[in-house]
C-alpha cells in the first residue's frame, strides 16, 4: 500500500488530535470538583430546615468555591497560553516539513490544555476558553494543511483578550 504525503499528514493529524483529546479527557478526571460532598448535600438539608440562614451560608460557600475555581482556571489557562506560545516558537524554528507538523501538534495540545483547565470555571471564562480552544484548533488545521502556512493569529488574540476581561470580572 502506497501512502501519499497528504494521506500521511491526515493520519498524523488524526493521531495527534486523538492524543490531544485523550489528554484533555485524562486531565479533566484529575482535577477535583470545587464542591465537596458535604456542600453538595447541604442544600437539601437546608431546604428541610426551618432556618433560612443555613441555605444562605451554603449558597455563599458554593459561590466562594466557584469563584476559587474560576480564579484557578484563569491562572491555569493564562499559563497554558503563555507556555504554548513558547513551545510554538520553538517548533517553528524546526522548519518545514517536520516543523509544520510539530507546530500543528502543539496548537492541538495547547487547545486541549486550555479546555481541560476551564472545567469548573464560571460561564464567561468557560465561553472565552472555548473560543481560545477553537482558534488554536483552527491554527492547528492551518499548519497541518500547508508547510508554508502563516495563518493570522488576530482571532486568537481577540479570544485571549476576551478571556482576560472575563477573568477580571470574576
Amino acid at each position: 500500500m502506497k501512502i501519499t504525503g497528504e494521506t500521511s499528514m491526515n493520519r498524523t493529524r488524526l493521531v495527534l488530535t486523538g492524543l490531544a483529546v485523550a489528554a484533555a479527557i485524562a486531565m479533566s478526571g484529575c482535577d477535583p470538583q470545587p464542591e465537596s460532598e458535604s456542600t453538595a448535600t447541604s442544600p437539601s438539608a437546608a431546604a428541610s430546615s426551618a432556618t433560612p440562614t443555613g441555605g444562605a451560608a451554603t449558597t455563599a460557600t458554593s459561590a466562594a468555591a466557584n469563584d476559587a475555581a474560576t480564579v484557578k482556571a484563569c491562572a491555569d489557562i493564562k499559563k497554558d497560553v503563555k507556555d504554548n506560545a513558547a513551545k510554538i516558537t520553538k517548533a517553528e524554528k524546526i522548519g518545514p516539513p517536520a516543523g509544520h507538523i510539530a507546530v500543528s501538534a502543539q496548537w492541538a495540545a495547547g487547545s486541549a490544555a486550555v479546555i481541560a483547565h476551564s472545567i469548573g470555571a464560571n460561564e464567561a471564562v468557560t465561553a472565552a476558553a472555548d473560543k481560545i480552544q477553537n482558534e488554536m484548533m483552527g491554527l492547528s488545521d492551518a499548519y497541518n494543511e500547508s508547510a508554508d502556512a502563516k495563518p493570522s493569529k488576530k482571532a486568537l488574540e481577540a479570544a485571549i483578550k476576551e478571556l482576560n476581561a472575563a477573568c477580571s470580572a470574576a
Side-chain angles (χ1 to χ4, degrees):
M1 176 177 173
K2 185 175 180 181
I3 298 176
T4 64
E6 185 177 334
T7 304
S8 177
M9 282 195 325
N10 286 338
R11 286 186 181 174
T12 301
R13 178 175 177 234
L14 179 64
V15 169
L16 292 174
T17 303
L19 289 173
V21 169
I25 291 169
M27 290 173 62
S28 68
C30 296
D31 196 2
Q33 293 297 320
E35 292 184 339
S36 68
E37 188 174 313
S38 63
T39 303
T41 58
S42 293
S44 62
S48 64
S49 162
T51 310
T53 57
T58 302
T59 302
T61 302
S62 179
N66 287 338
D67 289 344
T70 298
V71 169
K72 182 180 182 329
C74 286
D76 289 347
I77 293 169
K78 288 177 182 181
K79 183 179 181 302
D80 291 338
V81 169
K82 183 178 177 183
D83 290 348
N84 193 60
K87 291 175 182 176
I88 291 292
T89 301
K90 187 175 178 181
E92 286 175 334
K93 290 180 183 177
I94 297 170
H100 80 280
I101 295 170
V103 171
S104 175
Q106 186 54 51
W107 280 118
S111 74
V114 166
I115 210 67
H117 285 127
S118 70
I119 296 170
N122 69 21
E123 191 175 318
V125 171
T126 300
D130 284 345
K131 287 182 181 178
I132 290 172
Q133 187 270 337
N134 287 332
E135 293 304 324
M136 286 180 160
M137 283 307 296
L139 289 167
S140 174
D141 291 344
Y143 276 96
N144 196 39
E145 290 173 9
S146 170
D148 298 321
K150 294 291 180 193
S152 173
K153 297 176 187 162
K154 289 185 188 253
L156 175 63
E157 292 166 1
I160 291 169
K161 286 180 183 177
E162 187 176 321
L163 173 74
N164 289 335
C167 288
S168 295

